[in-house]
Amino acid sequence: RRYKLMYTIKLLDENIVIDDEKSDSNSYIFNIHLKNKYCDCPNCNNRTKSIHSIHHRKLQDLPIQNKTVYLDIKMRHMICRKCGTIFTEPLSFAYSKSHMTNRLKDYIVETAAPNSSLIAEQQLQKSGIKVKKSTICALLKKRWTCTN
């Protein structure tokens, strides 16, 4: 069972390393980091491995067995030795400043599209997704304006 849980998380990105996993009756928390050694500077495209600092970022992912799943990601702030730009290593599975993985956002939109946002909120909450009606509406609006 533990292998299946970890496999589900690693599907997000092949560079994920799971450092630790904790669970209680309502949730799973996976402490992860990315094994990439280098990042490309968004300013000058220079490849760097110089770490400026480290911080943690918490994202919600798809639920497992109706339990809320959180990813506690050890994020590196990198510094480019060529131009001095400080930047955060990018994640392939979540947009900058997002609190959810892209696949969770997609699932919320798929669930909410044929329903009212209130019904969708109730269904999602029952399945272990912590989301409010206002977030559902914002995701639907963003998706609708991006595709039309």
Side-chain angles (χ1 to χ4, degrees):
R1 188 187 121 180
R2 184 172 160 76
Y3 173 78
K4 286 182 182 179
L5 293 176
M6 296 196 174
Y7 177 76
T8 302
I9 300 305
K10 286 184 165 268
L11 285 173
L12 284 167
D13 188 311
E14 64 187 23
N15 293 309
I16 287 178
V17 175
I18 300 173
D19 300 315
D20 190 25
E21 176 250 321
K22 298 174 191 153
S23 66
D24 59 30
S25 60
N26 299 319
S27 65
Y28 291 104
I29 300 173
F30 293 91
N31 295 307
I32 67 172
H33 72 275
L34 300 178
K35 64 182 174 184
N36 304 338
K37 291 191 180 192
Y38 298 93
C39 290
D40 294 331
C41 174
N43 188 44
C44 70
N45 290 325
N46 182 54
R47 183 160 274 200
T48 184
K49 66 176 184 177
S50 300
I51 298 172
H52 178 268
S53 59
I54 293 176
H55 76 280
H56 287 263
R57 180 174 171 195
K58 193 173 185 179
L59 296 177
Q60 187 180 174
D61 193 21
L62 289 172
I64 297 174
Q65 300 169 339
N66 292 336
K67 288 186 178 186
T68 307
V69 173
Y70 295 104
L71 307 175
D72 186 352
I73 309 167
K74 189 176 181 179
M75 299 289 299
R76 299 177 300 164
H77 282 264
M78 310 298 284
I79 184 164
C80 178
R81 294 292 179 203
K82 185 176 179 185
C83 71
T85 299
I86 298 171
F87 61 97
T88 304
E89 66 182 322
L91 297 175
S92 63
F93 51 90
Y95 294 115
S96 176
K97 299 184 176 149
S98 178
H99 297 286
M100 298 177 187
T101 61
N102 296 337
R103 70 183 181 183
L104 177 58
K105 287 181 180 181
D106 291 342
Y107 181 76
I108 290 169
V109 168
E110 287 172 21
T111 302
N115 299 304
S116 73
S117 54
L118 189 58
I119 291 171
E121 177 187 26
Q122 293 167 353
Q123 289 175 340
L124 294 165
Q125 294 275 353
K126 284 180 187 174
S127 70
I129 297 172
K130 303 239 184 263
V131 64
K132 295 183 179 174
K133 180 180 171 249
S134 58
T135 303
I136 294 169
C137 291
L139 288 172
L140 285 169
K141 183 178 179 182
K142 190 173 193 176
R143 189 65 51 98
W144 187 80
T145 54
C146 289
T147 56
N148 289 325

